[in-house]
Amino acid sequence: MGYSFMPTIPHEQLMLSDKHQAMRTTFVDLGPDKMKKVLDDLRTVLQMIMQDCSRANIEAGKTWVFEYCTHPSRADSWVDFILALSLSKATFNERLHLLYLINDVLFHSIRRQLLWMKNSILHRLVPLLRTVYHCPSANEATRAKVSKAGVEGEDPDVLLLLLFFCFLW
């Protein structure tokens, strides 16, 4: 059974398609066969995370990111794609599970002192948080999960962004 990332809403479908194409462009140096495999692997991992947010699935997603997003343009295109994918999903849990992946990658990029990866995520963190928090299927109980998810670590840039996000609620 194949899964598709394509949503039913035309604008979000177009945005997701654009972000997927941008990601393909940043992976073109891998060659067509390797690029197809790498992006197919990403699709599989993301689908697993959205369906079952187990520690093993989050770990698989994080491993993919650190293996293939090896420079800023790839990290930027990956985070942009995750944001577009989150917007395209109708259920709160799918969006929340993608946020958990982002949280884990951010935490590990800070630990590994990958400033460019941290910055790629931080520049899009508030929109990602808002996407989850303002999901049409969210209610007060589910929204509390967004604030509990938080972002790990004590990085001042992260804490400042979270404070800013709290004012936007």
Side-chain angles (χ1 to χ4, degrees), residues 144-159:
K145 292 180 181 182
V146 176
S147 58
K148 287 180 185 174
V151 176
E152 298 182 35
E154 297 178 5
D155 184 278
D157 294 335
V158 174
L159 296 175

Side-chain angles (χ1 to χ4, degrees), residues 2-20:
Y3 293 101
S4 173
F5 284 134
M6 297 320 237
T8 57
I9 301 170
H11 171 72
E12 288 157 349
Q13 184 177 22
L14 180 61
M15 184 170 59
L16 185 58
S17 178
D18 287 348
K19 297 305 179 186
H20 185 264

Side-chain angles (χ1 to χ4, degrees), residues 48-82:
M48 289 175 4
I49 289 169
M50 288 184 290
Q51 296 302 314
D52 174 24
C53 191
S54 68
R55 187 74 216 144
N57 288 341
I58 293 292
E59 184 68 27
K62 181 186 76 175
T63 298
W64 187 96
V65 170
F66 285 108
E67 184 172 345
Y68 295 109
C69 294
T70 54
H71 51 78
S73 63
R74 284 189 182 170
D76 289 344
S77 68
W78 174 75
V79 179
D80 285 342
F81 180 75
I82 295 296

Side-chain angles (χ1 to χ4, degrees), residues 115-144:
L115 184 60
W116 55 270
M117 176 77 77
K118 176 185 116 177
N119 288 337
S120 289
I121 295 171
L122 288 181
H123 289 134
R124 296 154 182 89
L125 186 59
V126 170
L128 281 162
L129 289 165
R130 289 180 57 82
T131 296
V132 180
Y133 189 82
H134 294 293
C135 179
S137 65
N139 57 44
E140 287 307 312
T142 57
R143 285 187 181 115

